[in-house]
Amino acid sequence: MMSTGNGPEIAILGGGIGGLAAAAFLRAKGLGSDIYEQAPALTAVGAGLVIAPNAARLLRRLGVLDRFVERAVRLEIGWEFRRWEDGAVLSAENLEEGCVRLYGEHTYTAHRADLLAALRSAVPEHSIHLGKRCVSVEFEDGQAVLRFEDGEMVRPDILIGADGVHSRVRSAVVGPTQARESGICAFRALVPARKAPEFARRPAQTLWIGPDHHLVHYPVSGEEYVNLVAFAPAGADTVESWTATATLGELLDEFAGWDPRLVELITAADTPARWALLDREPLDHWNRGNATLLGDAAHPMFPFFAQGAAQAIEDGAVLALCLAADPGNPIGALGRYQELRRRRTARLQQVSHGRSHINHLPDGPEQQARDLAYSQADPLRTNGWIYEYDPEVAVSASV
């Protein structure tokens, strides 16, 4: 592990969005860190994502927003809900005007690889260690010890577990946590824009909702592709993995009988990935000794509010602020970080969970009431508690 100067030696396990964001925010506060990532390269697993104003604001503070928007797509329309059988628009929001007016930033969609590249540009290359597969996380006298497959052992002053939904650090911090089957699986695929119907090429985030299913699409990668994410009942053999695949025929079967325009979009997709959504309760605590959790390791959530990446970025910002404010008391700083972040992320876990039922209602009176409510809703204002959040304000207010 490399020296971090006069500050604590900080190890970050996981080089995804959360790990890179934490390293970037720590560096901005004058604190060094070392990222240990098991993959031989930081890859593009995960396809598309949404960067709402709360996350865009933090990318700007890091100085990487300009790089990010080179390939990101600025949304003009969002929360465009369409009925499954005929594409009737139930509601739509003007994000181009509303986001800046209300929250000072735009909303973007992007390929995960483009967000990773932007964050990585704010992290020194020498601090990123690839091909480092962690085989154990243990505590000796209250201090975390990392052991890697290549035989290296690391005893950091601070350990940040940003190692995802199957986190080794989480298991060491809180013990085994049992996930429940949600009954939902997700498909994801990319469609070359040249093959996509015109309605899918618009700078819009569109959600088609119907019985037991819904499907989201938006352009990514400088509008070269349309990202498609679909949700359907899970089969018994569906696994929780970003790399498992399905066939295009299986995805088409799930949406048989839906609007022909949507079927046309699905038909143009590449081989879809498929994974199970497992249901996890919010954790009671994230810390043990000198170790803490961040991102999906701390608060995996259903993707129905498109806030997974944003919350990992917020985690990194708050953690860096807490450690910079109290560098001589890292354990106290980790406790403050947990206190500031746990309530907000637990609330997002809960509201994201609830949306799965609402979006998948069968046709009937409850569905009709939902559609009427959507037509009268104002998601930009309703979700203000999400989009207006500012880590610096939150940390200052807690003093």
Side-chain angles (χ1 to χ4, degrees):
M1 183 167 186
M2 298 189 67
S3 171
T4 57
N6 295 324
E9 291 188 346
I10 302 173
I12 301 172
L13 190 61
I17 291 167
L20 287 171
F25 282 110
L26 287 166
R27 183 170 184 254
K29 291 296 180 182
L31 297 172
S33 63
D34 285 276
I35 296 174
Y36 298 92
E37 165 58 42
Q38 67 177 353
L42 299 182
T43 59
V45 172
L49 44 76
V50 176
I51 293 297
N54 54 312
R57 186 180 304 118
L58 296 178
L59 296 182
R60 184 180 297 279
R61 287 184 186 165
L62 278 177
V64 302
L65 184 63
D66 287 346
R67 173 161 182 166
F68 173 69
V69 301
E70 290 175 2
R71 295 280 291 166
V73 177
R74 195 169 81 192
L75 288 182
E76 296 178 4
I77 299 169
W79 300 108
E80 182 183 76
F81 287 94
R82 289 178 176 253
R83 180 161 165 74
W84 69 278
E85 62 182 350
D86 58 9
V89 177
L90 305 175
S91 67
E93 290 292 312
N94 181 346
L95 300 186
E96 178 71 14
E97 185 273 333
C99 283
V100 173
R101 174 171 50 83
L102 293 171
Y103 308 116
E105 292 287 353
H106 291 284
T107 293
Y108 301 90
T109 55
H111 197 289
R112 183 176 183 269
D114 296 325
L115 177 58
L116 285 173
L119 291 169
R120 186 170 183 171
S121 70
V123 179
E125 282 296 317
H126 65 73
S127 68
I128 301 174
H129 311 282
L130 300 174
K132 298 292 291 186
R133 182 175 179 273
C134 180
V135 295
S136 74
V137 180
E138 299 171 347
F139 285 86
E140 298 177 2
D141 298 323
Q143 296 292 105
V145 179
L146 297 170
R147 290 181 171 84
F148 295 93
E149 191 173 53
D150 62 7
E152 183 179 3
M153 183 172 62
V154 174
R155 297 174 180 267
D157 296 321
I158 297 170
L159 170 62
I160 300 170
D163 50 336
V165 70
H166 298 294
S167 170
R168 281 192 178 275
V169 181
R170 182 183 63 223
S171 295
V173 168
V174 303
T177 55
Q178 192 67 32
R180 299 190 304 268
E181 293 183 5
S182 70
I184 302 171
C185 77
F187 298 81
R188 74 170 190 276
L190 291 171
V191 178
R194 67 183 185 279
K195 297 182 178 180
E198 186 279 331
F199 75 87
R201 299 196 301 268
R202 299 171 302 141
Q205 172 211 26
T206 300
L207 302 93
W208 297 70
I209 54 178
D212 296 322
H213 297 72
H214 83 275
L215 185 146
V216 185
H217 60 77
Y218 46 78
V220 296
S221 302
E223 301 185 345
E224 291 181 16
Y225 293 92
V226 175
N227 185 67
L228 183 156
V229 186
F231 302 91
D237 59 346
T238 308
V239 298
E240 187 182 40
S241 169
W242 285 105
T243 56
T245 60
T247 67
L248 188 57
E250 288 172 316
L251 178 54
L252 283 166
D253 286 346
E254 293 290 350
F255 292 88
W258 285 50
D259 187 300
R261 293 171 294 175
L262 184 63
V263 174
E264 179 186 358
L265 174 63
I266 296 172
T267 301
D270 60 13
T271 300
R274 178 174 58 187
W275 74 101
L277 297 184
L278 296 187
D279 201 3
R280 292 175 171 84
E281 293 292 332
L283 296 175
D284 292 330
H285 65 280
W286 297 0
N287 297 347
R288 178 182 174 186
N290 64 332
T292 193
L293 305 174
L294 180 150
D296 282 350
H299 45 73
M301 58 186 67
F302 287 178
F304 303 144
F305 270 76
Q307 277 288 310
Q311 292 308 301
I313 294 170
E314 286 184 8
D315 286 348
V318 171
L319 180 55
L321 286 165
C322 290
L323 288 169
D326 198 3
N329 181 18
I331 304 303
L334 296 185
R336 189 178 177 202
Y337 157 72
Q338 173 187 268
E339 181 181 355
L340 284 168
R341 292 298 297 161
R342 198 173 65 84
R343 183 177 300 178
R344 173 170 168 81
T345 56
R347 183 180 177 188
L348 268 162
Q349 285 178 282
Q350 290 160 356
V351 297
S352 298
H353 183 280
R355 183 60 67 87
S356 63
H357 168 71
I358 294 169
N359 283 350
H360 294 178
L361 290 172
D363 286 352
E366 194 175 2
Q367 163 261 320
Q368 293 166 7
R370 175 205 64 196
D371 291 355
L372 178 62
Y374 276 177
S375 71
Q376 298 172 342
D378 184 354
L380 268 183
R381 292 185 184 275
T382 302
N383 296 334
W385 65 276
I386 301 174
Y387 303 143
E388 66 192 5
Y389 179 84
D390 188 315
E392 291 186 0
V393 173
V395 172
S396 296
S398 71
V399 175

